[in-house]
Amino acid sequence: MEEITYKTKGVCARAIHFSRGDDGTITNVSFDGGCDGNLKAISKLVEGMKAEEIAAKLSGNICGFKSTSCADQLAKAVLS
C-alpha cells in the first residue's frame, strides 16, 4: 500500500492524501482545505475504486470560473 500526498494547483484545497494498493485501488482519500462537506462526500464515493475509474468520472470537472476543481485535481492525483 503506497501512501501519496498530491499538491494541488488552482483550487482551494492545498493537498490530497490517499492510499493506492498494488492493484490500483484508491482508499483513505482526504483533502487539506477546500469545501469540507463536498470533499468528504467525494472521498466516500471514490473509496475502493480503481484510479482509472475515478479519473474517468472526475477528469475535466471545473469549479466556477477556474479551469479545474478539487475533483479534477483528484483525477490527476490518482493517475500520477
Side-chain angles (χ1 to χ4, degrees):
M1 186 74 61
E2 181 182 14
E3 301 295 324
I4 298 168
T5 296
Y6 180 85
K7 298 290 184 184
T8 59
K9 298 170 186 75
V11 296
C12 298
R14 296 176 303 281
I16 304 170
H17 309 281
F18 60 94
S19 302
R20 180 178 14 234
D22 293 337
D23 63 352
T25 301
I26 304 299
T27 57
N28 304 316
V29 177
S30 66
F31 292 77
D32 291 343
C35 301
D36 189 50
N38 290 334
L39 297 177
K40 284 180 182 174
I42 288 171
S43 298
K44 287 180 180 182
L45 290 170
V46 302
E47 181 71 18
M49 290 176 67
K50 300 279 187 181
E52 294 78 17
E53 293 176 274
I54 295 170
K57 290 183 183 287
L58 301 179
S59 185
N61 185 1
I62 60 170
C63 182
F65 61 88
K66 299 175 183 178
S67 62
T68 189
S69 68
C70 292
D72 183 58
Q73 290 290 295
L74 177 59
K76 291 174 178 16
V78 298
L79 294 179
S80 65

